[in-house]
Amino acid sequence: MTTNQDSAAVSRPDALLPMPDPPERTPEELSGFNHLSITGSSHFLAMHFGKLETTLVAGEHYLAPFPTRKMAGLKFPDLMIAFDVNPEAYYRHNAYIISEQGKPPDFVLEIASRATGRADVLEKPEAYAALGIPEYWRFDETGRYHGARLEGDRLVHGAYQPIAIQELDEGILQGYSEVLNLILRWEDSRLGWYDPATGRYILTFKDQTARAHDAEAALRTEREARAASEAALKAEREARAASEAKIRALEQELERRTS
């Protein structure tokens, strides 16, 4: 039941107060951080989609249908992606409030842990479907907690239908997200975001560091090649000058003998 306080907040969205932080997660629940924040996936996904003023790529804050001070039953997904919304309101209120944003997130991802795996599979599909979230994905680096390494559901007539997951010859699992136009991949226990338009993965911090090292190495090689070329040119000029000096000395000696 909606309280008077909740009703007032709905009618006056500018008066919303920030919701409290979700409960602190135990070390075994921090797999989302390992796959999203520490790799830079969230950052580079936001860069990939662009329009940062209207695109939200975030997670681990509350997802609520309307403003409320009752936290019981609310979810805080590892990753939410929403287009054509107000990210500033999300951060200001410490929550994605569907009534305020005018739509549910387009995409939600949960990453398995021992503590959350059962709820990810048995409870959250129903909850996220009820909120109208078009796609709900689950990633499990081992397959122990979700029963599968990669799964996705797409909302069809109010209920989730499984998204086809392919197993490639190399043992890579992948599924296509229509709302993101990206392929999610399980590969070597890592979560990858593959762009079918470019045929490449979206960058991670590791990729960026590798590219920076490659660029630095290429620049160093270019500088070394330029230095070697300049040294060779200098040596050629010195050899030419020595040869010309020797010729002049011989001409002077010949002139001296014939005079």
Side-chain angles (χ1 to χ4, degrees), residues 21 47 91 99 101 144 176-177 207 220 225-226 240 242:
D21 291 329
M47 296 301 103
Y91 292 110
S99 64
Q101 298 286 358
R144 291 198 303 267
Y176 176 67
S177 167
D207 298 327
R220 184 166 57 249
R226 187 184 302 120
R240 186 184 300 117

Side-chain angles (χ1 to χ4, degrees), residues 20 69 171 236 258-259:
R69 300 318 250 163
E236 181 181 351
T258 56
S259 61

Side-chain angles (χ1 to χ4, degrees), residues 111-112 138-150 186:
I111 295 177
R138 295 170 296 284
F139 178 81
D140 186 340
E141 60 184 312
T142 65
R144 291 198 303 267
Y145 307 124
H146 285 167
R149 294 180 173 91
L150 181 67
W186 180 98

Side-chain angles (χ1 to χ4, degrees), residues 54 122 229:
T54 59
L122 298 180
S229 177

Side-chain angles (χ1 to χ4, degrees), residues 18-23 62-64 66-76 94-95:
M19 296 174 72
D21 291 329
Y62 283 110
L63 170 60
F66 49 78
T68 179
R69 300 318 250 163
K70 298 178 181 179
M71 304 297 105
L74 297 185
K75 309 303 180 189
F76 39 100
N94 206 30

Side-chain angles (χ1 to χ4, degrees), residues 173-205:
L173 300 176
Q174 67 175 31
Y176 176 67
S177 167
E178 288 184 357
V179 298
L180 303 184
N181 190 27
L182 291 175
I183 293 171
L184 279 70
R185 282 186 173 175
W186 180 98
E187 183 175 6
D188 296 329
S189 299
R190 306 301 299 175
L191 176 61
W193 306 83
Y194 185 84
D195 184 359
T198 63
R200 297 192 299 269
Y201 282 104
I202 289 178
L203 281 176
T204 64
F205 285 140

